[in-house]
Amino acid sequence: MDRVLELISRETNGFRPEIGIILGSGLGEIADEHCKIAIPYNEIPGFINSNVAGHKGRLVFAEINNKKVVMMQGRNHFYEGHSLEEITFPVKVMKHLGVKTLILTNAAGAVNESFHPGDLMLITDHINLIGENPLRGANDDDLGERFPDMSEVYKKYLIDIADKYAKKLGFELQHGVYLANSGPTYETPAEIKMARTLGADAVGMSTVPEAIVGNYCGMNILGISCITNYASGTSEAKLTHAEVIKTANRVKKRFKALIMAVIAA
Ligand code: HPA
């Protein structure tokens, strides 16, 4: 960790971001537009160079609306074969850099039958069905407790701020529970029925590990899902990554406006 912090401090001239953002599939453009300094993941020890379509793989430092921000342009996933500890290492780095508020974004399938592709959903809570926990193993008492409370991972006050600014921008946000599967397969119709029975509104393959670690080290978390498709079995259409990216692209203007407003607030 010391080596990483030293490198970042050198590259960024001691930049101390207060807001961290992890950008999901097709949502990375905001980092391109506001990039001040970027460090490719392959130059940072402990970061994994991600090659998934729609993900770029660099840590971007920027000043947005007078706030210092660090963005992960592209994230790593459990389905790529990495451990949850590996994929959440950047969150710990953000904590050491001074990040207090973490905005997590993703592309997700609609489990809730009143949701539609193109909707943005504020994550109110999550269900971890990845089957592992990133905090398994020896605890780092300097970062957080052995048995972290999870009763308000996604902070109500941040949800209220996002709702308020979305309204000002002229759109409504959905609210719901995000269920994370390990992937890389999309779900079967039976699994989506199960997700609905369990109380999930949206389903995806990310975010939950980062939320667990961010919450553990005391960050205030806002989670936003871009609903990119009807989940398996709820429409005739076959599910493709191309569709996910296409919808994310369609929504990115609204999505960016919302992120910008939340940062300013
Ligand atoms: N399932 C899982 N992950 C996803 C989906 C989905 O339907 N859409 C985007 N990411």
Side-chain angles (χ1 to χ4, degrees):
M1 177 62 78
D2 290 347
R3 210 153 53 97
V4 174
L5 296 175
E6 224 176 87
L7 177 139
I8 292 174
S9 178
R10 196 173 348 109
E11 297 276 326
T12 65
N13 245 323
F15 193 84
R16 298 278 298 170
E18 50 187 311
I19 299 172
I21 309 178
I22 300 183
L23 297 162
S25 301
L27 304 172
E29 207 177 274
I30 194 165
D32 285 328
E33 285 168 12
H34 295 275
C35 178
K36 197 169 151 196
I37 303 157
I39 313 177
Y41 294 160
N42 60 13
E43 291 177 14
I44 313 174
F47 275 58
I48 302 153
N49 199 20
S50 118
N51 288 314
V52 183
H55 298 271
K56 208 162 192 173
R58 53 187 204 151
L59 196 60
V60 172
F61 297 83
E63 222 156 299
I64 302 179
N65 292 331
N66 290 320
K67 298 282 189 325
K68 291 195 169 77
V69 179
V70 57
M71 288 173 270
M72 283 189 77
Q73 195 173 23
R75 61 145 65 80
N76 299 111
H77 299 84
F78 188 63
Y79 61 70
E80 294 166 274
H82 317 295
S83 72
L84 292 188
E85 192 181 354
E86 286 168 326
I87 67 173
T88 54
F89 177 71
V91 177
K92 294 179 187 167
V93 171
M94 286 184 180
K95 172 70 181 177
H96 285 291
L97 291 176
V99 167
K100 295 194 172 51
T101 306
L102 182 63
I103 303 175
L104 300 173
T105 70
N106 61 47
V111 173
N112 185 318
E113 283 162 314
S114 70
F115 290 3
H116 302 285
D119 286 353
L120 293 175
M121 181 192 91
L122 297 177
I123 303 175
T124 54
D125 204 349
H126 75 226
I127 298 171
N128 180 13
L129 285 192
I130 291 176
E132 282 193 27
N133 191 299
L135 300 177
R136 182 169 164 266
N139 188 51
D140 181 350
D141 293 333
D142 290 336
L143 272 183
E145 289 179 44
R146 170 75 293 187
F147 302 109
D149 174 62
M150 294 281 284
S151 54
E152 197 191 347
V153 176
Y154 305 89
K155 290 288 180 288
K156 180 78 174 59
Y157 84 92
L158 290 172
I159 290 174
D160 290 344
I161 288 174
D163 269 333
K164 184 174 137 193
Y165 284 90
K167 261 200 198 91
K168 277 193 185 174
L169 289 164
F171 53 90
E172 297 272 335
L173 299 170
Q174 306 284 13
H175 286 196
V177 173
Y178 175 88
L179 183 148
N181 282 316
S182 72
T185 49
Y186 290 116
E187 299 72 21
T188 63
E191 285 164 347
I192 292 303
K193 236 189 233 173
M194 175 187 76
R196 201 172 289 124
T197 305
L198 293 179
D201 297 289
V203 66
M205 307 173 192
S206 68
T207 304
V208 163
E210 296 104 318
I212 290 173
V213 172
N215 174 71
Y216 159 75
C217 45
M219 291 175 174
N220 298 312
I221 298 173
L222 176 69
I224 310 171
S225 290
C226 171
I227 303 296
T228 51
N229 55 278
Y230 294 108
S232 172
T234 52
S235 91
E236 300 288 299
K238 278 219 162 117
L239 249 167
T240 63
H241 186 61
E243 180 194 357
V244 168
I245 297 298
K246 199 171 144 201
T247 312
N249 276 325
R250 179 158 67 78
V251 182
K252 71 185 172 196
K253 215 171 129 206
R254 252 188 325 143
F255 172 82
K256 274 191 291 183
L258 178 64
I259 298 263
M260 299 289 289
V262 170
I263 291 172

